[in-house]
Amino acid sequence: NAIIPTLVAGTGQSIGACVQASLLVLLGVCIGSLNFAVLASLARWTVAQGILFAFSVYWLSYFKAGDERLFIVFLTGILMGFDGIMVSKNNNNQFLPEFLLADAASYLFGLAIAILVNFLILPTTSERELREMLVTSLDHLESLSRLVARAYVIVASEQEMNMGDVLMQ
C-alpha cells in the first residue's frame, strides 16, 4: 500500500504538484478509512457488504469521472474498502480497528516518502517551466501582432494569413 501514494504523489514533479497530490492522497485515505470501517463492520452481512461496496465504487467513480486528478482518491478509497472486506473475512467476521490503523499508516508512510523525496532530494519548482511557456507565448504574440499589422495594411501574403489563422487557435 505504501507504493501507491509514493508513485502518485508526484515524486519528481514541482513542489506545488506534489503538495496538491498529497492532499488528494490524504482525502483518499480519509474516505478509504470510512469505507474500510463501514464495510468491515458489516462482515456478518455479506449481501449488505456487497451492496455498499458497489455503491461506494459507483460513488467514487462518479466523482473521478469529473476530474482526472481525483483518480488517487478513487483508487485509495476502493482499495481500503476492499481491504476492510478481506480483513473482516479473515478474522471471523470481526472488525478489528488495528488493521484499519495499519492500513491507513501504510498509505501515510508512502505519502511521507514521496514528500521527503520531493522536498529534500529532488526539489523542483515550476519556475523553469513557467519561463519556457512565457517565452513561447511572447513569441507567438509577437508573430501574431506582426501578422495582424501586415494584414491591416494589406501586404500580407496568403501563407502569412494562414499562419495568422493557426496562431489565433
Side-chain angles (χ1 to χ4, degrees):
N1 289 346
I3 294 173
I4 295 170
T6 304
L7 295 176
V8 177
T11 307
Q13 295 180 359
S14 68
I15 292 175
C18 179
V19 169
Q20 183 180 18
S22 299
L23 292 174
L24 290 174
V25 169
L26 286 175
L27 178 64
V29 168
C30 291
I31 291 172
S33 296
L34 178 66
N35 207 5
F36 185 110
V38 169
L39 291 171
S41 298
L42 294 173
R44 289 176 282 172
W45 302 285
T46 56
V47 174
Q49 245 183 351
I51 290 171
L52 279 178
F53 185 66
F55 178 73
S56 67
V57 168
Y58 173 76
W59 182 73
L60 288 170
S61 64
Y62 178 75
F63 286 109
K64 181 207 132 300
D67 190 358
E68 193 61 37
R69 293 176 300 167
L70 297 177
F71 175 72
I72 186 59
V73 177
F74 168 76
L75 183 66
T76 308
I78 296 305
L79 288 177
M80 287 186 76
F82 184 75
D83 288 346
I85 292 172
M86 294 308 297
V87 164
S88 64
K89 292 299 175 193
N90 291 334
N91 290 304
N92 298 324
N93 294 331
Q94 294 179 353
F95 169 55
L96 300 174
E98 307 85 53
F99 287 106
L100 171 59
L101 293 175
D103 202 25
S106 69
Y107 282 100
L108 295 177
F109 182 70
L111 183 61
I113 291 171
I115 290 173
L116 287 174
V117 165
N118 223 22
F119 279 88
L120 300 177
I121 298 173
L122 300 170
T124 308
T125 62
S126 57
E127 180 181 356
R128 185 188 64 201
E129 296 167 9
L130 181 64
R131 286 177 192 249
E132 290 174 4
M133 289 175 51
L134 189 59
V135 166
T136 303
S137 297
L138 289 175
D139 185 43
H140 286 318
L141 184 62
E142 185 268 332
S143 298
L144 185 61
S145 64
R146 183 177 42 80
L147 290 171
V148 167
R150 290 181 61 93
Y152 184 70
V153 294
I154 311 174
V155 293
S157 67
E158 185 66 33
Q159 182 182 6
E160 289 176 328
M161 296 294 278
N162 289 339
M163 181 188 269
D165 291 339
V166 169
L167 288 174
M168 289 295 286
Q169 297 174 1

